[in-house]
Amino acid sequence: MKCKRVVAAALMSLPLVAMAADMPTFRLEMNDGKLSHTRIEVPANTRFKIEVVNKGKSPAEFESLQLRKEKVLAPGVESFVVFQSLSPGEYRFYDEFHASAQGVIVAK
């Protein structure tokens, strides 16, 4: 009986894995005050993920006050931020540790 429950639980999680694999994903590299992209265009009204990579030798922080998201990264660390669907518009983000590193997420 226990085996059936495990199999049932595994089968129920398959749609979640498939949905995560289909989620649009964008990569942002941060390197001591420089951003690989200062403009990231994403589909509006669609859940998406930004993979954030700190290629620099100092800490970096992806932050968006408008979206209430932040992610602090030590040097050499990779992580991600998942966004629920955004209404069409522009949403600013920046690197808290390097004030000149600023960008915008554009939901179309």
Side-chain angles (χ1 to χ4, degrees):
M1 192 66 157
K2 186 175 183 181
C3 183
K4 287 182 182 179
R5 287 186 190 143
V6 171
V7 171
L11 289 174
M12 288 173 43
S13 68
L14 284 177
L16 297 176
V17 172
M19 285 188 336
D22 294 339
M23 184 184 325
T25 301
F26 305 88
R27 185 174 176 93
L28 174 65
E29 295 181 358
M30 305 173 97
N31 192 343
D32 297 324
K34 294 187 174 89
L35 303 175
S36 61
H37 303 287
T38 56
R39 181 181 176 91
I40 301 172
E41 292 188 10
V42 302
N45 305 311
T46 304
R47 186 177 162 164
F48 67 94
K49 175 170 68 171
I50 296 180
E51 296 175 343
V52 186
V53 181
N54 184 358
K55 295 274 193 175
K57 295 180 179 172
S58 62
E61 180 177 0
F62 174 92
E63 181 151 358
S64 175
L65 297 176
Q66 288 175 295
L67 299 172
R68 297 183 181 146
K69 297 281 187 180
E70 63 181 329
K71 180 67 72 168
V72 177
L73 303 166
V77 170
E78 296 185 26
S79 190
F80 63 90
V81 181
V82 174
F83 296 83
Q84 300 306 319
S85 62
L86 296 179
S87 297
E90 295 188 357
Y91 304 88
R92 302 233 168 256
F93 68 89
Y94 59 97
D95 179 349
E96 176 76 18
F97 293 103
H98 304 92
S100 63
Q102 299 182 19
V104 63
I105 296 170
V106 181
K108 290 185 169 187

PDB file of all heavy atoms in Angstrom, residues 40 42 64 66-67 85-93 103-107:
ATOM      1  N   ILE A  40      15.349  43.660 -20.045  1.00  0.00           N
ATOM      2  CA  ILE A  40      14.908  42.279 -20.184  1.00  0.00           C
ATOM      3  C   ILE A  40      13.433  42.311 -20.568  1.00  0.00           C
ATOM      4  O   ILE A  40      12.598  42.788 -19.793  1.00  0.00           O
ATOM      5  CB  ILE A  40      15.097  41.485 -18.868  1.00  0.00           C
ATOM      6  CG1 ILE A  40      16.574  41.503 -18.457  1.00  0.00           C
ATOM      7  CG2 ILE A  40      14.595  40.064 -19.023  1.00  0.00           C
ATOM      8  CD1 ILE A  40      16.832  40.911 -17.083  1.00  0.00           C
ATOM      9  N   VAL A  42      10.003  40.482 -21.203  1.00  0.00           N
ATOM     10  CA  VAL A  42       9.328  39.262 -20.761  1.00  0.00           C
ATOM     11  C   VAL A  42       7.879  39.291 -21.244  1.00  0.00           C
ATOM     12  O   VAL A  42       7.328  40.371 -21.495  1.00  0.00           O
ATOM     13  CB  VAL A  42       9.374  39.116 -19.220  1.00  0.00           C
ATOM     14  CG1 VAL A  42      10.808  39.112 -18.715  1.00  0.00           C
ATOM     15  CG2 VAL A  42       8.584  40.214 -18.532  1.00  0.00           C
ATOM     16  N   SER A  64      14.439  44.952  -6.905  1.00  0.00           N
ATOM     17  CA  SER A  64      13.396  45.747  -7.540  1.00  0.00           C
ATOM     18  C   SER A  64      12.404  46.139  -6.459  1.00  0.00           C
ATOM     19  O   SER A  64      11.703  45.279  -5.916  1.00  0.00           O
ATOM     20  CB  SER A  64      12.688  44.971  -8.642  1.00  0.00           C
ATOM     21  OG  SER A  64      11.603  45.749  -9.136  1.00  0.00           O
ATOM     22  N   GLN A  66       9.791  48.076  -6.970  1.00  0.00           N
ATOM     23  CA  GLN A  66       8.462  47.990  -7.568  1.00  0.00           C
ATOM     24  C   GLN A  66       7.885  46.575  -7.462  1.00  0.00           C
ATOM     25  O   GLN A  66       6.700  46.403  -7.216  1.00  0.00           O
ATOM     26  CB  GLN A  66       8.511  48.366  -9.049  1.00  0.00           C
ATOM     27  CG  GLN A  66       8.731  49.818  -9.328  1.00  0.00           C
ATOM     28  CD  GLN A  66       8.877  50.040 -10.820  1.00  0.00           C
ATOM     29  OE1 GLN A  66       9.823  49.571 -11.432  1.00  0.00           O
ATOM     30  NE2 GLN A  66       7.921  50.746 -11.391  1.00  0.00           N
ATOM     31  N   LEU A  67       8.744  45.581  -7.675  1.00  0.00           N
ATOM     32  CA  LEU A  67       8.288  44.194  -7.685  1.00  0.00           C
ATOM     33  C   LEU A  67       8.461  43.493  -6.340  1.00  0.00           C
ATOM     34  O   LEU A  67       8.100  42.336  -6.188  1.00  0.00           O
ATOM     35  CB  LEU A  67       9.040  43.414  -8.774  1.00  0.00           C
ATOM     36  CG  LEU A  67       8.816  43.943 -10.190  1.00  0.00           C
ATOM     37  CD1 LEU A  67       9.741  43.247 -11.171  1.00  0.00           C
ATOM     38  CD2 LEU A  67       7.361  43.762 -10.584  1.00  0.00           C
ATOM     39  N   SER A  85       2.905  36.512 -12.830  1.00  0.00           N
ATOM     40  CA  SER A  85       2.626  37.286 -14.036  1.00  0.00           C
ATOM     41  C   SER A  85       2.637  38.793 -13.756  1.00  0.00           C
ATOM     42  O   SER A  85       2.173  39.252 -12.715  1.00  0.00           O
ATOM     43  CB  SER A  85       1.287  36.866 -14.621  1.00  0.00           C
ATOM     44  OG  SER A  85       0.251  37.128 -13.710  1.00  0.00           O
ATOM     45  N   LEU A  86       3.218  39.541 -14.692  1.00  0.00           N
ATOM     46  CA  LEU A  86       3.283  40.990 -14.576  1.00  0.00           C
ATOM     47  C   LEU A  86       2.329  41.617 -15.585  1.00  0.00           C
ATOM     48  O   LEU A  86       2.206  41.146 -16.720  1.00  0.00           O
ATOM     49  CB  LEU A  86       4.700  41.499 -14.873  1.00  0.00           C
ATOM     50  CG  LEU A  86       5.820  41.068 -13.942  1.00  0.00           C
ATOM     51  CD1 LEU A  86       7.151  41.645 -14.417  1.00  0.00           C
ATOM     52  CD2 LEU A  86       5.533  41.504 -12.519  1.00  0.00           C
ATOM     53  N   SER A  87       1.696  42.682 -15.191  1.00  0.00           N
ATOM     54  CA  SER A  87       0.899  43.465 -16.128  1.00  0.00           C
ATOM     55  C   SER A  87       1.857  44.147 -17.099  1.00  0.00           C
ATOM     56  O   SER A  87       3.017  44.400 -16.755  1.00  0.00           O
ATOM     57  CB  SER A  87       0.095  44.524 -15.381  1.00  0.00           C
ATOM     58  OG  SER A  87      -0.821  43.904 -14.506  1.00  0.00           O
ATOM     59  N   PRO A  88       1.392  44.459 -18.310  1.00  0.00           N
ATOM     60  CA  PRO A  88       2.274  45.164 -19.239  1.00  0.00           C
ATOM     61  C   PRO A  88       2.815  46.438 -18.601  1.00  0.00           C
ATOM     62  O   PRO A  88       2.091  47.154 -17.899  1.00  0.00           O
ATOM     63  CB  PRO A  88       1.354  45.491 -20.423  1.00  0.00           C
ATOM     64  CG  PRO A  88       0.294  44.429 -20.365  1.00  0.00           C
ATOM     65  CD  PRO A  88       0.085  44.180 -18.883  1.00  0.00           C
ATOM     66  N   GLY A  89       4.091  46.688 -18.825  1.00  0.00           N
ATOM     67  CA  GLY A  89       4.718  47.880 -18.265  1.00  0.00           C
ATOM     68  C   GLY A  89       6.203  47.684 -18.062  1.00  0.00           C
ATOM     69  O   GLY A  89       6.777  46.674 -18.473  1.00  0.00           O
ATOM     70  N   GLU A  90       6.823  48.671 -17.436  1.00  0.00           N
ATOM     71  CA  GLU A  90       8.253  48.646 -17.160  1.00  0.00           C
ATOM     72  C   GLU A  90       8.482  48.628 -15.656  1.00  0.00           C
ATOM     73  O   GLU A  90       7.816  49.358 -14.912  1.00  0.00           O
ATOM     74  CB  GLU A  90       8.948  49.853 -17.788  1.00  0.00           C
ATOM     75  CG  GLU A  90       8.887  49.855 -19.299  1.00  0.00           C
ATOM     76  CD  GLU A  90       9.727  50.949 -19.930  1.00  0.00           C
ATOM     77  OE1 GLU A  90      10.327  51.775 -19.200  1.00  0.00           O
ATOM     78  OE2 GLU A  90       9.790  50.978 -21.170  1.00  0.00           O
ATOM     79  N   TYR A  91       9.419  47.800 -15.258  1.00  0.00           N
ATOM     80  CA  TYR A  91       9.723  47.604 -13.837  1.00  0.00           C
ATOM     81  C   TYR A  91      11.232  47.709 -13.652  1.00  0.00           C
ATOM     82  O   TYR A  91      11.995  46.935 -14.219  1.00  0.00           O
ATOM     83  CB  TYR A  91       9.217  46.228 -13.380  1.00  0.00           C
ATOM     84  CG  TYR A  91       7.744  46.029 -13.635  1.00  0.00           C
ATOM     85  CD1 TYR A  91       7.298  45.523 -14.859  1.00  0.00           C
ATOM     86  CD2 TYR A  91       6.796  46.367 -12.673  1.00  0.00           C
ATOM     87  CE1 TYR A  91       5.944  45.353 -15.112  1.00  0.00           C
ATOM     88  CE2 TYR A  91       5.445  46.199 -12.926  1.00  0.00           C
ATOM     89  CZ  TYR A  91       5.021  45.693 -14.139  1.00  0.00           C
ATOM     90  OH  TYR A  91       3.684  45.514 -14.383  1.00  0.00           O
ATOM     91  N   ARG A  92      11.659  48.653 -12.871  1.00  0.00           N
ATOM     92  CA  ARG A  92      13.096  48.898 -12.671  1.00  0.00           C
ATOM     93  C   ARG A  92      13.704  47.888 -11.707  1.00  0.00           C
ATOM     94  O   ARG A  92      13.066  47.431 -10.769  1.00  0.00           O
ATOM     95  CB  ARG A  92      13.316  50.302 -12.139  1.00  0.00           C
ATOM     96  CG  ARG A  92      12.739  51.359 -13.062  1.00  0.00           C
ATOM     97  CD  ARG A  92      13.778  52.398 -13.425  1.00  0.00           C
ATOM     98  NE  ARG A  92      13.299  53.228 -14.514  1.00  0.00           N
ATOM     99  CZ  ARG A  92      13.714  53.102 -15.770  1.00  0.00           C
ATOM    100  NH1 ARG A  92      14.594  52.204 -16.083  1.00  0.00           N
ATOM    101  NH2 ARG A  92      13.245  53.891 -16.714  1.00  0.00           N
ATOM    102  N   PHE A  93      15.001  47.577 -11.958  1.00  0.00           N
ATOM    103  CA  PHE A  93      15.793  46.774 -11.036  1.00  0.00           C
ATOM    104  C   PHE A  93      17.200  47.338 -11.004  1.00  0.00           C
ATOM    105  O   PHE A  93      17.588  48.121 -11.887  1.00  0.00           O
ATOM    106  CB  PHE A  93      15.797  45.280 -11.429  1.00  0.00           C
ATOM    107  CG  PHE A  93      16.527  44.959 -12.700  1.00  0.00           C
ATOM    108  CD1 PHE A  93      17.887  44.671 -12.693  1.00  0.00           C
ATOM    109  CD2 PHE A  93      15.855  44.927 -13.910  1.00  0.00           C
ATOM    110  CE1 PHE A  93      18.560  44.371 -13.867  1.00  0.00           C
ATOM    111  CE2 PHE A  93      16.512  44.617 -15.087  1.00  0.00           C
ATOM    112  CZ  PHE A  93      17.876  44.338 -15.061  1.00  0.00           C
ATOM    113  N   GLY A 103      18.700  48.490 -14.492  1.00  0.00           N
ATOM    114  CA  GLY A 103      18.048  47.963 -15.677  1.00  0.00           C
ATOM    115  C   GLY A 103      16.551  48.016 -15.543  1.00  0.00           C
ATOM    116  O   GLY A 103      16.006  48.527 -14.560  1.00  0.00           O
ATOM    117  N   VAL A 104      15.877  47.471 -16.554  1.00  0.00           N
ATOM    118  CA  VAL A 104      14.427  47.483 -16.569  1.00  0.00           C
ATOM    119  C   VAL A 104      13.920  46.149 -17.130  1.00  0.00           C
ATOM    120  O   VAL A 104      14.489  45.602 -18.062  1.00  0.00           O
ATOM    121  CB  VAL A 104      13.885  48.691 -17.386  1.00  0.00           C
ATOM    122  CG1 VAL A 104      14.281  48.612 -18.848  1.00  0.00           C
ATOM    123  CG2 VAL A 104      12.399  48.827 -17.245  1.00  0.00           C
ATOM    124  N   ILE A 105      12.858  45.649 -16.500  1.00  0.00           N
ATOM    125  CA  ILE A 105      12.126  44.497 -17.022  1.00  0.00           C
ATOM    126  C   ILE A 105      10.912  45.078 -17.735  1.00  0.00           C
ATOM    127  O   ILE A 105      10.147  45.855 -17.154  1.00  0.00           O
ATOM    128  CB  ILE A 105      11.670  43.564 -15.889  1.00  0.00           C
ATOM    129  CG1 ILE A 105      12.891  42.981 -15.171  1.00  0.00           C
ATOM    130  CG2 ILE A 105      10.772  42.452 -16.433  1.00  0.00           C
ATOM    131  CD1 ILE A 105      12.551  42.233 -13.884  1.00  0.00           C
ATOM    132  N   VAL A 106      10.764  44.716 -19.005  1.00  0.00           N
ATOM    133  CA  VAL A 106       9.645  45.215 -19.810  1.00  0.00           C
ATOM    134  C   VAL A 106       8.697  44.058 -20.069  1.00  0.00           C
ATOM    135  O   VAL A 106       9.064  43.102 -20.743  1.00  0.00           O
ATOM    136  CB  VAL A 106      10.132  45.832 -21.142  1.00  0.00           C
ATOM    137  CG1 VAL A 106       8.948  46.349 -21.943  1.00  0.00           C
ATOM    138  CG2 VAL A 106      11.144  46.932 -20.874  1.00  0.00           C
ATOM    139  N   ALA A 107       7.495  44.154 -19.533  1.00  0.00           N
ATOM    140  CA  ALA A 107       6.479  43.123 -19.755  1.00  0.00           C
ATOM    141  C   ALA A 107       5.610  43.561 -20.924  1.00  0.00           C
ATOM    142  O   ALA A 107       5.012  44.641 -20.889  1.00  0.00           O
ATOM    143  CB  ALA A 107       5.643  42.915 -18.506  1.00  0.00           C
TER     144      ALA A 107
END
